[in-house]
Amino acid sequence: MNKLFEKIGELIEKRPVKTLLFSVLLFIILFTGVSRIKMATGNETLVKDDNPVYQSNKEMEESFGGEAILVLFTDSTQGNLLSYENINKIWDVEQRLQYEENIFSIMSPASIVHQMTERQSFEIKKQILTISDGLVDVSEQLQELSNLAGGNTQLEMKLNEIAKGLEIFHNKSNMMVATIPGNQIELDQIIYDDQKAIRTIFKDVILDDQNCLMVVKLQGNLGDEEKKRIGKELISILQKEEFDNLSYIVSGKPILDASLQTEMKSNMMMMVVLAVMIMFIILAIVFKVRWRMLSLGVILLSVIATLGFMGILSVPITMVSMAVFPILIGLGIDYSIQFHNRYEEEKSVKNTMRQMGKAIAIAVFATVLGFISLYASPVPMIQDFGKMLTIGAGISFMGSIFLLMPILYLREKSKDIDKGIIKEITQEITKIKIEKVVENKTWLERMLKVFTKAVIKLSIPILIVVISLAALGFFVDKKVGVETDIETFMPQKMDALKDIKVIRTKVGSTDQIALYLKDTSILTKENIRWIQEKTKEIEENYKDVVVSVKSIDTLVGNLSVGQDLSQEDYIKQVDILPKQQVNMFLNEKQTEAVILLNIKHIPTKELQALTEKLAKNTMDTNMKVQITGKSVLDIEMVNGLTSGRVIMTLIGLILVFAALFLIYRNVVKAIIPILPVALIIGMSSGIMYLLGIQFTPITATLGALVLGMGTEMTVMLLERYLEERKLGKEKMESMIITVTMIGKAIIASGLTTVGGFSVLMTSRFTILRDFGFMTVINISLVLISTFVVLPPIIILLDPFMKGKKAN
């Protein structure tokens, strides 16, 4: 491997300009994918598309529509909510949306009034025909009487004319379209019953004297962009209508998701800018080399290229993966710092690549394997996070070689110094005894020398304390809670989140569980009875959680209050109901139906217990019953987190160990870089338990992330130690030289990584703040352990690292 990197170094020194131009061109090609990047917040980010719950929810949405946009109208004047003017304006909004093909249905007081006028129109037309037929009969009877009397009467002729006129009126009546009544009196007669109470058919949309609701149900399985477009269109129509007496709030999951995506974009930009500022300060203070900011420029280009590559691959940015950019800035800059630091020591690209190429490549490989373990998660947004980190680490590594190194070489070449002199200087520098170099060390390097001696003397006590703390952490790991309520992750001051909470307060619920029913015929006598009995049973047994239960029986019941209908009468009632309402609960073929449970916003554990009970209570039917819906998808995500978190970490440990074993062909060498990191993973769980921080979709990745990033530091230190041992130096001397020579670079890279993660603590997203806080602690512990825990481990296990002189 050393020869490979040596040849790369030779190539860069022979053709620095061509190498740089080719690399820049390749990066520019990747930049073009930035415009294709998309945000994603839908179901596909929570659960894999082959999950049974995802599949059933997708199938249900195809038949019964998807998410709903809710418009809450409020009348602060009292008594004006259901005015003729307001109902007409609400109806105008619906009419403007009627040609929108991706709207499944719209329900509001205006649409129900219209449905009732349509029904009345149908009955009027029917009665007109009846009257016409009756008049014809009367006319015929009068004709018989007049014939007996020997004459023809004027009344008979008049009746015949009226009958013909009514018949013509009936035949042409389809040309007339039912609409909202023309005055307040007729409107009130439709909305209120004889006791001046609002009719039961309006109870889902008229909440009280001051609030009513419009429910715009979208077609199922729409993409985020289409949902956002319809939401914007609806808001625009409402604004144009200029409601004088009503205020309104537009909310629902599609609106919340759209607002969330906007917030994610602005939040990412803020974090990236802040991360760059922090990197600048850290490099200025700690990394004392010429052109120290060059590494920052290289990593910024690498991050943009990573974003572009993800756009080309159609990998979306989610609430989890938006954290990847400050992470990559902090992580990727490590590689550039290490190469830059060694180049300042060697003054040769070839020597730098030969000495550092393998070490950094191994570190990157171990890091990538840690990230690859995220692919084992059943939660898609964690998988996408792993993809972005993996590709980002690879691009950052390539950038540090093919962008940074040619620029550094051209910087030296641009000086007016004879090439032969440069060669002589380079050779002399490589021959200088390391002891002389140590004599001229900075205050930081002198401090590291003294610190390393003290640490090695206290090896046993240090290891006992660290191992004990890690063991306690692993013990309490299962006691750390899991939080998956998406709303708790969002910026709590976000207007869209406040709006949905207002609507939830008024309506009682915005969360649903769906009982998805299938049979050859839903409207059999047995199935109808089961739906009726199960609805009552759920309403009685789950009063503390279930706000309301809606089904096709709810609609039939609104039309036949107190009636015990036969199967035939029941089907007739379904046939005369407005199709738009029926389609929300029963498909056209009558082979599928849904019972919708509107539930309170409850913790996921309680939600899981509820679905398990419902599953047991719905087994007493021949229909196929599937419990699905957005709330059930949240449960699947919880299960994915709790089961996948430990598996991800174990897979990461196995992959990194296997890779290091293949490289070193020595079990001890393969274990040494992993041991300090594994101990940190244990301590991390203990810290979360003590601080009351719960696992979220992103903190669940901590084990794999710490493994990937921490192994990079430990591998770098081990590689330099092995390099010194190959030169025949003693253990203590090799360790002191190792720590003093690369300590500055490791501290700089470690602090930049911590700086990158610290930016997350400033995020408006709670989920990122907790993650940022824990990763700052973890990476800080890894950095400390690299100088406190790793040297004692290496010294103790040195006798077992065979072949150190030959390798």
Side-chain angles (χ1 to χ4, degrees):
M1 190 179 287
N2 284 335
K3 289 182 179 179
L4 171 64
F5 284 103
E6 187 175 348
K7 288 182 179 179
I8 293 173
E10 286 180 0
L11 174 67
I12 292 172
E13 288 186 346
K14 287 180 181 178
R15 299 181 179 85
V17 176
K18 288 183 178 179
T19 302
L20 183 60
L21 289 176
F22 180 80
S23 301
V24 169
L25 179 62
L26 184 60
F27 270 60
I28 290 173
I29 292 171
L30 292 177
F31 293 167
T32 60
V34 172
S35 61
R36 303 183 198 176
I37 202 73
K38 293 181 179 179
M39 301 279 182
T41 54
N43 296 338
E44 70 279 1
T45 68
L46 306 178
V47 182
K48 293 177 73 174
D49 57 12
D50 60 353
N51 184 289
V53 174
Y54 181 91
Q55 291 291 341
S56 63
N57 186 74
K58 183 179 180 181
E59 194 175 346
M60 181 192 71
E61 286 196 5
E62 287 174 359
S63 297
F64 301 105
E67 297 164 350
I69 299 175
L70 307 175
V71 184
L72 178 67
F73 294 99
T74 301
D75 169 35
S76 57
T77 62
Q78 297 186 355
N80 200 41
L81 177 68
L82 304 176
S83 69
Y84 170 76
E85 180 187 1
N86 288 339
I87 293 297
N88 264 285
K89 286 194 173 186
I90 293 172
W91 178 242
D92 287 343
V93 172
E94 293 191 32
Q95 289 296 93
R96 293 185 186 184
L97 291 169
Q98 65 178 324
Y99 298 111
E100 179 55 67
E101 62 180 3
N102 284 323
I103 291 180
F104 183 82
S105 65
I106 303 177
M107 189 169 67
S108 73
S111 61
I112 294 177
V113 166
H114 179 258
Q115 289 162 14
M116 293 181 73
T117 57
E118 273 191 326
R119 184 65 194 163
Q120 289 175 351
S121 174
F122 174 80
E123 291 296 330
I124 290 170
K125 293 173 187 178
K126 187 176 175 182
Q127 291 302 318
I128 288 172
L129 191 59
T130 302
I131 293 169
S132 175
D133 292 340
L135 290 172
V136 170
D137 290 341
V138 171
S139 176
E140 289 174 353
Q141 290 176 11
L142 285 173
Q143 187 175 4
E144 290 177 6
L145 290 172
S146 66
N147 288 337
L148 290 174
N152 202 358
T153 65
Q154 290 291 326
L155 180 59
E156 175 195 340
M157 294 173 62
K158 196 68 175 175
L159 288 172
N160 275 326
E161 288 177 7
I162 294 172
K164 287 179 182 178
L166 289 171
E167 187 176 353
I168 292 170
F169 182 79
H170 178 268
N171 292 335
K172 300 294 184 181
S173 63
N174 288 332
M175 297 172 64
M176 296 183 293
V177 179
T179 185
I180 303 299
N183 56 66
Q184 190 68 48
I185 295 173
E186 291 179 10
L187 180 61
D188 289 344
Q189 287 174 348
I190 291 175
I191 296 176
Y192 301 97
D193 59 19
D194 295 337
Q195 283 73 42
K196 303 298 181 183
I198 293 174
R199 297 182 191 274
T200 55
I201 196 171
F202 290 96
K203 66 179 182 180
D204 290 332
V205 290
I206 300 177
L207 307 179
D208 51 43
D209 293 338
Q210 290 182 276
N211 300 280
C212 67
L213 198 66
M214 175 189 284
V215 181
V216 182
K217 195 173 183 67
L218 306 181
Q219 293 287 1
N221 305 307
L222 287 182
D224 286 343
E225 290 302 315
E226 188 62 16
K227 292 176 188 176
K228 188 188 297 184
R229 182 189 67 77
I230 295 173
K232 286 182 178 179
E233 183 181 355
L234 174 58
I235 292 170
S236 175
I237 291 171
L238 286 164
Q239 289 172 345
K240 289 177 182 177
E241 199 58 44
E242 296 181 352
F243 287 89
D244 297 325
N245 303 317
L246 293 182
S247 60
Y248 57 83
I249 294 173
V250 183
S251 188
K253 189 173 183 301
I255 301 298
L256 183 62
D257 285 349
S259 178
L260 183 61
Q261 289 177 20
T262 302
E263 191 73 19
M264 284 164 61
K265 287 180 183 178
S266 64
N267 198 65
M268 274 198 313
M269 291 297 296
M270 180 270 291
M271 288 192 298
V272 169
V273 170
L274 195 55
V276 171
M277 291 172 62
I278 290 174
M279 297 301 129
F280 186 91
I281 294 169
I282 291 173
L283 290 175
I285 295 174
V286 178
F287 196 45
K288 299 292 185 179
V289 298
R290 290 183 299 160
W291 289 27
R292 67 191 74 175
M293 298 305 163
L294 181 59
S295 295
L296 184 57
V298 169
I299 191 56
L300 284 177
L301 293 176
S302 300
V303 167
I304 297 171
T306 301
L307 183 63
F309 196 31
M310 301 323 294
I312 294 170
L313 296 178
S314 298
V315 177
I317 294 176
T318 66
M319 202 186 307
V320 170
S321 61
M322 68 174 172
V324 78
F325 301 110
I327 291 174
L328 282 179
I329 291 173
L331 173 65
I333 204 171
D334 289 1
Y335 313 138
S336 294
I337 287 174
Q338 295 291 348
F339 276 121
H340 195 165
N341 183 67
R342 192 60 181 253
Y343 181 82
E344 294 298 330
E345 188 180 329
E346 300 287 346
K347 299 299 180 184
S348 164
V349 175
K350 180 180 175 181
N351 290 344
T352 299
M353 294 303 298
R354 183 179 66 245
Q355 297 296 338
M356 293 297 295
K358 176 186 173 183
I360 296 177
I362 292 172
V364 172
F365 188 46
T367 300
V368 166
L369 288 175
F371 295 156
I372 285 175
S373 65
L374 297 175
Y375 299 178
S377 172
V379 181
M381 59 182 171
I382 291 181
Q383 293 179 347
D384 290 340
F385 186 45
K387 291 174 189 175
M388 296 189 81
L389 285 170
T390 301
I391 293 174
I395 290 177
S396 299
F397 177 60
M398 300 305 291
S400 65
I401 294 176
F402 295 106
L403 290 178
L404 177 74
M405 300 310 292
I407 293 173
L408 290 176
Y409 180 76
L410 289 170
R411 180 196 70 181
E412 296 299 323
K413 192 178 179 182
S414 65
K415 296 178 180 179
D416 296 325
I417 303 175
D418 185 74
K419 291 183 180 180
I421 297 175
I422 293 177
K423 277 189 176 181
E424 289 178 14
I425 293 173
T426 303
Q427 290 170 0
E428 286 300 317
I429 290 174
T430 56
K431 291 178 182 178
I432 292 176
K433 296 294 182 181
I434 204 69
E435 290 84 359
K436 290 184 179 179
V437 178
V438 173
E439 289 174 5
N440 298 318
K441 292 301 177 188
T442 64
W443 67 268
L444 177 60
E445 290 162 334
R446 290 195 297 272
M447 185 184 73
L448 286 172
K449 178 180 178 181
V450 175
F451 182 78
T452 303
K453 288 181 179 180
V455 163
I456 292 172
K457 287 181 181 178
L458 299 171
S459 295
I460 302 302
I462 287 172
L463 292 177
I464 290 174
V465 171
V466 172
I467 291 171
S468 300
L469 291 173
L472 287 172
F474 284 122
F475 178 74
V476 299
D477 179 79
K478 291 183 178 180
K479 297 181 180 181
V480 179
V482 178
E483 177 59 74
T484 56
D485 183 351
I486 300 295
E487 290 184 13
T488 63
F489 304 155
M490 301 175 187
Q492 297 302 297
K493 294 182 180 180
M494 195 165 65
D495 289 338
L497 183 58
K498 293 178 182 178
D499 289 345
I500 202 168
K501 288 179 178 179
V502 169
I503 289 185
R504 187 178 293 141
T505 302
K506 298 290 184 181
V507 178
S509 171
T510 56
D511 297 348
Q512 280 186 342
I513 292 177
L515 304 185
Y516 181 32
L517 315 176
K518 289 182 182 180
D519 204 348
T520 51
S521 175
I522 294 293
L523 299 181
T524 64
K525 187 176 180 180
E526 294 77 13
N527 289 345
I528 292 171
R529 186 185 300 113
W530 186 89
I531 292 171
Q532 291 172 332
E533 292 175 353
K534 195 57 61 177
T535 298
K536 290 178 183 177
E537 182 184 320
I538 291 171
E539 287 175 336
E540 291 173 1
N541 294 342
Y542 302 96
K543 289 180 181 179
D544 55 333
V545 178
V546 177
V547 176
S548 62
V549 183
K550 308 292 181 185
S551 67
I552 187 64
D553 190 64
T554 308
L555 300 181
V556 173
N558 287 338
L559 289 182
S560 55
V561 180
Q563 298 180 40
D564 186 13
L565 301 175
S566 65
Q567 182 191 2
E568 291 181 0
D569 291 335
Y570 196 98
I571 293 173
K572 286 180 182 178
Q573 291 281 43
V574 171
D575 290 338
I576 66 174
L577 281 166
K579 281 189 177 181
Q580 197 175 53
Q581 287 193 5
V582 172
N583 290 342
M584 294 172 66
F585 301 102
L586 184 71
N587 69 343
E588 290 185 8
K589 295 180 180 179
Q590 298 185 352
T591 56
E592 298 175 18
V594 287
I595 301 175
L596 298 178
L597 280 61
N598 294 308
I599 61 172
K600 294 178 180 178
H601 193 68
I602 56 176
T604 312
K605 286 184 179 179
E606 293 180 26
L607 189 60
Q608 186 164 11
L610 173 62
T611 56
E612 288 171 357
K613 289 179 183 178
L614 288 171
K616 291 178 182 178
N617 294 344
T618 53
M619 296 174 67
D620 54 342
T621 177
N622 292 325
M623 289 185 289
K624 181 181 179 182
V625 182
Q626 293 174 290
I627 300 175
T628 187
K630 176 63 175 65
S631 296
V632 184
L633 287 170
D634 287 344
I635 296 172
E636 291 299 306
M637 184 179 68
V638 176
N639 293 335
L641 289 176
T642 52
S643 63
R645 180 175 57 83
V646 177
I647 293 172
M648 284 189 296
T649 305
L650 289 175
I651 289 175
L653 286 168
I654 292 168
L655 286 175
V656 174
F657 171 77
L660 292 177
F661 179 73
L662 288 174
I663 292 168
Y664 291 126
R665 301 298 176 93
N666 182 288
V667 173
V668 175
K669 287 181 183 178
I671 289 176
I672 286 174
I674 300 174
L675 279 177
V677 182
L679 295 173
I680 299 302
I681 292 172
M683 286 189 279
S684 175
S685 295
I687 292 169
M688 290 184 70
Y689 176 75
L690 290 174
L691 298 178
I693 297 174
Q694 295 182 307
F695 283 116
T696 65
I698 191 166
T699 51
T701 67
L702 277 172
L705 285 175
V706 171
L707 178 64
M709 291 180 287
T711 305
E712 182 229 344
M713 295 185 199
T714 55
V715 165
M716 294 299 299
L717 194 139
L718 175 63
E719 276 291 309
R720 185 59 185 257
Y721 176 81
L722 294 175
E723 182 184 333
E724 297 303 327
R725 288 290 274 155
K726 287 174 190 176
L727 298 175
K729 298 181 178 65
E730 295 299 323
K731 292 188 293 184
M732 179 66 78
E733 183 185 11
S734 296
M735 183 56 67
I736 290 173
I737 292 172
T738 295
V739 173
T740 53
M741 291 302 294
I742 69 167
K744 176 177 65 177
I746 289 178
I747 290 173
S749 62
L751 289 177
T752 52
T753 304
V754 169
F757 279 108
S758 66
V759 169
L760 298 175
M761 295 168 63
T762 66
S763 172
R764 294 186 291 269
F765 286 76
T766 308
I767 187 174
L768 293 185
R769 287 204 300 272
D770 288 346
F771 175 66
F773 176 71
M774 282 308 303
T775 45
V776 164
I777 290 176
N778 286 337
I779 299 302
S780 298
L781 288 174
V782 169
L783 181 59
I784 293 169
S785 71
T786 302
F787 295 104
V788 176
V789 179
L790 186 58
I793 290 176
I794 291 175
I795 295 296
L796 290 173
L797 297 179
D798 180 275
F800 303 98
M801 291 189 284
K802 297 178 182 179
K804 54 184 175 291
K805 290 182 180 180
N807 288 342

